[in-house]
Amino acid sequence: MRGEVAAKLAKLGTDEQRLLRPLVETSRGFYLVAGGLGVIALWGLFAYYLQVRYGLGRTGLNRPEYWGIYIIDFVFFIGISHAGTLISAILRVSKAEWRRAITRSAEFITVLVLGFGAIQPIVDLGRPDRLLNVIFHAQLRSPLLWDVISIGLYFTASTIYLYIPMIPDLAIIRDSGIKAPWLYRMLAAGYQDTPTQRARLERVIGVLAIAVIPIAVSVHTIIGWIFAMTLRPMWHSTIFGPYFVMGAIYSGIAAILIAMTILRRAYGLEQYFKEIHFDYMGRLLLLFSLLWFYFTFAEYLTAFYGGEPSEMRTFWAKVAGPFAIPFWTMVATCFVIPLALMSRPSMRTPRGTLIAGISVVIGMWLERFNIVVPTSVNPRWEMEAGGHYFPSWVELSIMAGTFAAFILLYMLATKFFPIISIWEIKEGREQSVREVSERVAGYLPEHAPVLAGD
Amino acid sequence: MTRWGMVIDLDRCTGCGACEVACKSENNVATVPPDQSDMGRTLAWMKVMTEVEGEFPDTSMRFVPRPCMHCDNPPCVRVCPVAATYINDEGVVGQIYPRCIGCRYCANACPYTVKYFNWFPPEWPESERAYLNPDVSVRSNGVIEKCTFCHHRLQAARETARAEDRQLREEDYQPACVEICPTRAIVFGDLDNPAHRVSQLRHDARATRMLEDLGTEPKVYYLQPRI
């Protein structure tokens, strides 16, 4: 860090100093990790070039296994994207004060991972050059088109929802002059933190937080509907909309926990991501592991009890057939492990939640695999031979490249934007402590004097 | 209104596979190399499905030729995001190759698995190349293709009928698989025209349709074997 920047930083308050340090100070480890991720991302890009040049034949896809890794990743990434916007909006609307340190890092996950999720179906297209036909020849009866609309809306809304609450922080950076003054002058949009501006900002955030919830719910519902609207065994299920939304939030919470643990260690944010935050997020994870079990059990029991032959072929392929390993690993990683860990208070620590979070992220990827592939390879018509699927190195490279590019972009974002909201922390310190005590007092009965003679 | 449809008599089918070959050459269906075929990437708009019944030595083989069912209520048409797959006024389900974006949603939605994808640019052996049918467009890499009931033959038949100033006759328009079938197991015509054989045969006691309970209203009927 250069002397003048250090001097400028030293002039700021403690919160600003701590939270803006990553913007001006970059360790060697950061460059090493970023370089490694960059190489993987470029490798993925090269694999995609081969696929575009020679055709989707470079994948392991076939008939009837039409959808594979790309569609699994699509559902998975969009699921993770429910981390930020939805959780931050729900915590904001419900006035959960412990959210203050978490929301920003979560909202960044949403916006970045959403972009990478949205390109997956495009990577999956046989003719990506004709992508705009989706607009020119839009056919509104297709659930894919509903998806284009809802993801477009969600991306717009969550980007605004990330940006608006960041404006006061951008103004702080602008005023401090520690980094690229022209950039932050533009981004801060003339914000001066006057009482009027602050009041307007809070009102807009309040409206956005509410508006973004139904949009987020619609996104994963419609992704579930892409499958549910077909007549395929174990896809054609009314539970899919809510099941997908629940799974999305579950994987989102897990992703935030992983990000929080890494950020905490990398940037020394122990003062902000406290044990209590991991405890609370761990409880949320526990709740969702139970919900996940409830939904999954309901889905499989209904299929099993009905016993329709075409459904049962797919059912047994998952439970005790070629997909038994991914299926039972999913049950272990989505339910058994997080439940066992998170139901013990001693494990709701950064380390414990990290393990549970990684387990759930793996499990939720497997869940999408178990939805997409076993149904695909078991067509409804019994005379049709079953298919098989083994992803090619091209598919796996593109998948690795996407993960790497997302993490890289997230790392870069922490170098330009404070990953914890400075003004919201300060607001918490200066106002909310008092407001919350008043609010709690307001919940209680009036302290009426006892009448004589009672 | 005309509703083109097909009746396949499973008692007459010997499983010779002539319909598959005729279809392939009539419609310029690409030839797939053996390694690709092993991966399950063969294209066959008409395919003779086989099923072994019974325990050895008392086994018998069942053959079911399978073209596109040309459903009156086609699940593939509903899900296409760009209206590349459509059903026309006469009930033929078609595919607009230059519009298809290759998302394969229709292929997943079809309960009969009769939509085929071009995983690579189409190829033909040198000997076949000279005999491509000029009436049928060659598909490009990355699009879905399917049986069209040899719709190009209808256009040709209509033009001939018009030139000869007469009505279209039943025998004027017959798909390649119907024409080639040595046992005349496949019958084709207007399901709603009482004069056509298909409209009589589809009321036969043996007539069924595949996965009828899905409500897709397929226009291909099968006459079940008597034994």
Side-chain angles (χ1 to χ4, degrees):
Chain A
M1 189 174 11
R2 288 202 314 279
E4 46 176 313
V5 175
K8 282 175 182 167
L9 197 63
K11 273 190 230 151
L12 301 168
T14 339
D15 284 326
E16 286 90 337
Q17 282 197 30
R18 285 199 193 123
L19 297 175
L20 291 179
R21 190 166 291 275
L23 274 68
V24 289
E25 204 177 62
T26 304
S27 68
R28 226 177 112 228
F30 182 93
Y31 286 114
L32 280 175
V33 174
L37 290 171
V39 170
I40 301 173
L42 286 176
W43 177 254
L45 208 60
F46 169 69
Y48 183 58
Y49 161 77
L50 287 182
Q51 181 185 300
V52 170
R53 186 175 162 130
Y54 295 104
L56 268 176
R58 282 291 172 110
T59 64
L61 298 169
N62 55 66
R63 197 187 73 90
E65 172 55 45
Y66 288 108
W67 284 346
I69 292 280
Y70 303 140
I71 297 299
I72 296 167
D73 284 353
F74 165 60
V75 183
F76 174 76
F77 284 131
I78 306 273
I80 297 281
S81 86
H82 281 54
T85 304
L86 196 57
I87 290 165
S88 121
I90 290 172
L91 293 182
R92 244 189 250 276
V93 170
S94 62
K95 297 200 171 128
E97 283 295 331
W98 58 277
R99 70 166 195 274
R100 291 178 183 276
I102 298 175
T103 48
R104 175 75 49 78
S105 56
E107 287 155 16
F108 259 114
I109 295 183
T110 295
V111 172
L112 297 181
V113 89
L114 192 55
F116 286 103
I119 58 167
Q120 297 300 315
I122 301 171
V123 171
D124 187 64
L125 288 186
R127 295 299 300 248
D129 54 316
R130 295 178 183 166
L131 176 65
L132 290 180
N133 280 3
V134 171
I135 296 162
F136 298 146
H137 300 286
Q139 206 266 111
L140 278 169
R141 277 189 303 171
S142 171
L144 266 187
L145 213 77
W146 309 344
D147 214 32
V148 171
I149 295 166
S150 77
I151 290 179
L153 197 61
Y154 186 45
F155 188 74
T156 315
S158 55
T159 309
I160 298 172
Y161 185 66
L162 168 71
Y163 172 65
I164 300 277
M166 200 154 56
I167 293 177
D169 284 0
L170 295 167
I172 294 174
I173 303 173
R174 177 197 61 197
D175 297 340
S176 71
I178 51 167
K179 197 175 178 122
W182 60 272
L183 178 69
Y184 293 98
R185 202 173 311 128
M186 189 178 73
L187 288 175
Y191 185 79
Q192 296 296 342
D193 208 20
T194 62
T196 329
Q197 285 183 331
R198 176 68 73 101
R200 260 184 215 150
L201 185 86
E202 304 240 354
R203 202 162 63 224
V204 172
I205 295 173
V207 171
L208 277 175
I210 293 170
V212 99
I213 294 173
I215 299 177
V217 169
S218 82
V219 168
H220 236 252
T221 303
I222 290 175
I223 291 181
W225 283 352
I226 289 182
F227 300 100
M229 294 298 160
T230 67
L231 293 166
R232 301 293 294 262
M234 296 209 77
W235 280 2
H236 190 53
S237 158
T238 53
I239 206 176
F240 261 39
Y243 188 28
F244 273 52
V245 173
M246 181 280 306
I249 302 173
Y250 190 24
S251 65
I253 296 169
I256 299 180
L257 277 167
I258 296 172
M260 276 167 64
T261 324
I262 296 172
L263 288 168
R264 185 180 197 253
R265 171 68 74 84
Y267 295 141
L269 298 173
E270 289 83 359
Q271 291 288 320
Y272 296 89
F273 293 145
K274 293 183 159 183
E275 298 275 330
I276 188 83
H277 290 115
F278 291 91
D279 181 30
Y280 282 8
M281 290 292 279
R283 284 165 197 258
L284 266 182
L285 204 66
L286 176 63
L287 169 71
F288 273 87
S289 72
L290 295 168
L291 273 177
W292 182 88
F293 177 78
Y294 167 68
F295 271 85
T296 309
F297 185 71
E299 160 75 354
Y300 282 81
L301 181 67
T302 312
F304 173 74
Y305 202 95
E308 213 191 304
S310 55
E311 297 266 343
M312 290 316 281
R313 271 203 307 281
T314 306
F315 178 90
W316 287 118
K318 294 194 205 191
V319 173
F323 300 103
I325 292 173
F327 180 83
W328 291 106
T329 313
M330 166 188 85
V331 173
T333 49
C334 277
F335 181 60
V336 181
I337 295 173
L339 180 75
L341 287 175
M342 292 299 101
S343 52
R344 293 169 54 190
S346 63
M347 291 309 285
R348 290 199 295 269
T349 57
R351 185 182 296 267
T353 51
L354 177 69
I355 299 169
I358 292 173
S359 164
V360 169
V361 164
I362 294 171
M364 288 309 296
W365 191 90
L366 285 172
E367 187 203 279
R368 278 63 187 257
F369 175 90
N370 288 328
I371 288 172
V372 174
V373 179
T375 291
S376 291
V377 300
N378 285 292
R380 184 178 277 272
W381 197 3
E382 66 278 5
M383 284 190 89
E384 180 67 70
H388 50 82
Y389 178 51
F390 200 82
S392 73
W393 71 265
V394 168
E395 284 168 287
L396 296 174
S397 302
I398 291 177
M399 176 170 159
T402 319
F403 274 94
F406 160 64
I407 299 169
L408 180 62
L409 225 60
Y410 194 78
M411 285 171 69
L412 289 177
T414 65
K415 290 290 156 194
F416 286 92
F417 307 101
I419 203 68
I420 291 178
S421 179
I422 302 171
W423 73 275
E424 283 179 280
I425 293 280
K426 287 168 74 179
E427 186 193 57
R429 250 193 246 295
E430 291 158 10
Q431 290 177 24
S432 303
V433 175
R434 181 172 38 84
E435 277 173 16
V436 170
S437 2
E438 282 169 12
R439 194 166 79 211
V440 175
Y443 296 152
L444 301 168
E446 291 296 324
H447 196 69
V450 183
L451 293 174
D454 270 4
Chain B
M1 200 61 180
T2 321
R3 268 175 73 242
W4 299 110
M6 196 176 261
V7 177
I8 301 176
D9 190 341
L10 298 181
D11 248 356
R12 283 173 175 248
C13 177
T14 60
C16 70
C19 50
E20 268 186 48
V21 178
C23 170
K24 248 180 147 57
S25 93
E26 173 76 16
N27 290 297
N28 301 334
V29 178
T31 310
V32 170
D35 61 315
Q36 292 297 309
S37 178
D38 288 345
M39 280 191 76
R41 290 174 175 172
T42 318
L43 292 90
W45 292 7
M46 172 59 119
K47 170 98 189 128
V48 181
M49 314 288 290
T50 54
E51 194 175 56
V52 180
E53 287 174 335
E55 292 283 317
F56 181 82
D58 297 317
T59 53
S60 65
M61 191 83 145
R62 198 159 80 99
F63 302 106
V64 178
R66 180 190 61 185
C68 170
M69 302 292 150
H70 292 271
C71 308
D72 269 344
N73 182 17
C76 60
V77 169
R78 273 201 298 269
V79 299
C80 178
V82 297
T85 185
Y86 63 91
I87 178 163
N88 75 7
D89 294 344
E90 299 186 340
V92 174
V93 177
Q95 185 81 13
I96 307 170
Y97 311 122
R99 186 188 287 182
C100 174
I101 59 173
C103 69
R104 311 186 294 292
Y105 198 0
C106 59
N108 271 327
C110 172
Y112 306 98
T113 33
V114 293
K115 303 207 81 170
Y116 294 84
F117 187 70
N118 287 277
W119 301 98
F120 284 115
E123 276 179 62
W124 294 270
E126 206 49 51
S127 57
E128 277 180 41
R129 210 160 244 294
Y131 300 99
L132 289 180
N133 185 349
D135 286 344
V136 178
S137 60
V138 166
R139 277 73 62 186
S140 73
N141 182 21
V143 300
I144 286 282
E145 59 179 60
K146 66 180 292 297
C147 158
T148 62
F149 271 166
C150 289
H151 199 243
H152 54 283
R153 290 191 170 202
L154 175 61
Q155 289 169 1
R158 281 233 164 89
E159 276 163 32
T160 313
R162 200 176 299 126
E164 293 170 6
D165 197 22
R166 59 172 173 77
Q167 291 283 307
L168 193 71
R169 292 184 301 249
E170 184 179 0
E171 62 272 23
D172 288 343
Y173 168 37
Q174 294 289 307
C177 55
V178 181
E179 199 174 61
I180 202 81
C181 180
T183 58
R184 297 194 187 153
I186 315 179
V187 184
F188 183 83
D190 179 1
L191 294 172
D192 287 350
N193 185 340
H196 284 204
R197 277 229 298 146
V198 279
S199 86
Q200 298 149 17
L201 285 172
R202 79 183 171 105
H203 294 301
D204 191 286
R206 293 192 292 139
T208 57
R209 290 179 294 178
M210 291 298 171
L211 305 177
E212 209 164 5
D213 52 339
L214 294 182
T216 51
E217 302 292 326
K219 284 194 289 294
V220 174
Y221 291 75
Y222 289 91
L223 301 184
Q224 292 301 327
R226 288 186 183 81
I227 22 146

